Amino acid sequence: MCRIRPVLGQLALVLAVCLGPSWAAAAALFNAERATLPNGLEIVVIPNHRAPLVAHMVWYKVGSADERPGKTGIAHFLEHLMFKGTSTLAAGEFARVISRNGGQDNAFTSYDYTGFYQDIAADRLELVMRLEADRMANLKPAEAEVRSERDVILEERRSRVDNSPAALLHEEKSNALFLNHPYRMPVIGWAHEMQGLTREDALDFYRRYYMPNNAVLVVAGDVTMAEVRRLAEKYYGVIPAGSVPERSWTSEPPHQAAKRVSLTSPLVGNASLSRSYLAPSYQNGPSEHAYALQVLAEVLGSGPTSRLERALVRDGGAATRAGAGYAPDPIGPSTFDVYASPREGRTVEECEAAIDQVLARLLADGVEADEVERAKLRMQASYLYALDSTRGPARLFGEALVRGRTIADIEAWPERIAKVTREDVERAARAVIRLESSVTGVLLPKRTS
């Protein structure tokens, strides 16, 4: 405690200086500006003039949850193929041009979206906008490149999932937790379906979803909206809008029974236990609990003063690590997670019993007002730290806007967290921590002679 109080005191001072007397004053912390081109492309600019750098990101409103049955992995496969040539650019040339100009680039795919980014000097912004707009409209990967890249994603699955017991268990847990929602399918895809993905599959997906009116352009750094808009109109503005398929995801039915999955492997070094409870998000289920669940996760399992850490790890407890997590962002349902790894000589059963004891006490006795206030202060401070990078705010805004949230939602987050009460946290806990809507995963080492 004697170590924590000075830290919290410093954070309080920082917050007071930066945000003024109330969280309402934080409404323009990022000073983000928004515009929309006539072809439907949304533009968001987040000015930050501390260094002559920009982060340029294009987010498409399509992810693995939009894949057709039998075509798992196509969203991620297309993400790879976006680097494999256009009408005017050879395969691999996109990344080489960015590198020659001192920048770096990459891409990512999730259930809800696919994104591409470049970090580069501000005076190279026009270059990356020209290149990114080109592959939004003119992707033409050669058949040989497609076959080669399919081998790449299969190898990626082998290395990141098939040879990782933790990743395999995560797949099994997702498949057990989500009875009907497409989040039960892995983003990277099932190997036997990935093997059958073709160039035509990828281009069909590309033609259906990659268009300006299904994308969000986010530029953060040493730029102005006037400059970005001029360049966006020049390069993206000439691409015609298209007809975007309406999302029609299947939804979850009520859950009636707790599930349990266990995986034993010689690749496991240390045993672990994790449990995921089906939870609402900002946009799915009883969303009024979304802010309180973030505070609950902080109280339960974030840092050395959290309840799980104190009960399971401190003073030679049953575990070497323990915690909790919750992400409110998915378009579909989310999960509230708890986890622990047993100390040598202790078991996952002991960890599970200890977790259950912590949760039972919380549900019976509630939370304390001061631990809620400390949790909120730490969370609000982390919001300020996002200002320290160029890409961090771009990712924050892109991830939210591509999922249908607004700039006002992002700017209001500290104020909404500040309004969470002890009673809100207790109501959220009782709504979500229900064994019948959970899956428990156990990872165990397999001893070999």
Side-chain angles (χ1 to χ4, degrees), residues 34-43 129 212-213 217 225 228-239 241:
R34 180 180 176 277
T36 304
L37 296 187
N39 63 4
L41 178 70
E42 294 179 58
I43 304 171
M129 292 182 82
N213 50 317
L217 167 66
M225 173 55 91
V228 171
R229 177 151 192 157
R230 178 181 64 79
L231 294 173
E233 287 173 343
K234 179 177 180 181
Y235 294 108
Y236 293 101
V238 297
I239 303 172

Side-chain angles (χ1 to χ4, degrees), residues 165-174 176-177 259-263 270-277 308 312 321-325 335-342 347-349 351-353 355-356 359 435 438-444:
L168 284 173
L169 183 69
H170 177 75
E171 275 192 353
E172 297 289 339
K173 282 182 62 188
S174 296
L177 182 63
K259 295 96 179 171
R260 193 175 188 88
V261 296
S262 178
L263 191 150
N270 298 301
S272 64
L273 175 134
S274 59
R275 185 183 296 154
S276 298
Y277 297 91
L308 288 171
L312 275 79
R321 70 182 188 103
T335 61
F336 189 91
D337 306 292
V338 292
Y339 60 87
S341 296
T347 66
V348 292
E349 289 78 12
C351 287
E352 186 171 15
I355 288 175
D356 285 339
L359 296 178
L435 207 55
S438 75
V439 58
T440 301
V442 177
L443 199 58
L444 296 169

Side-chain angles (χ1 to χ4, degrees), residues 76 155-168 188:
H76 175 245
E155 178 55 32
E156 184 178 341
R157 184 186 160 90
R158 281 191 288 272
S159 63
R160 293 190 177 183
V161 181
D162 299 336
N163 290 323
S164 168
L168 284 173
I188 198 167

Side-chain angles (χ1 to χ4, degrees), residues 61-100:
K61 300 174 186 177
V62 61
S64 65
D66 298 291
E67 294 166 346
R68 289 173 172 166
K71 299 294 182 184
T72 59
I74 191 65
H76 175 245
F77 188 30
L78 176 57
E79 175 218 306
H80 277 238
L81 294 179
M82 289 289 283
F83 295 86
K84 296 303 174 183
T86 68
S87 307
T88 57
L89 212 60
E93 189 63 15
F94 188 104
R96 288 194 289 271
V97 170
I98 299 299
S99 180
R100 280 201 300 269

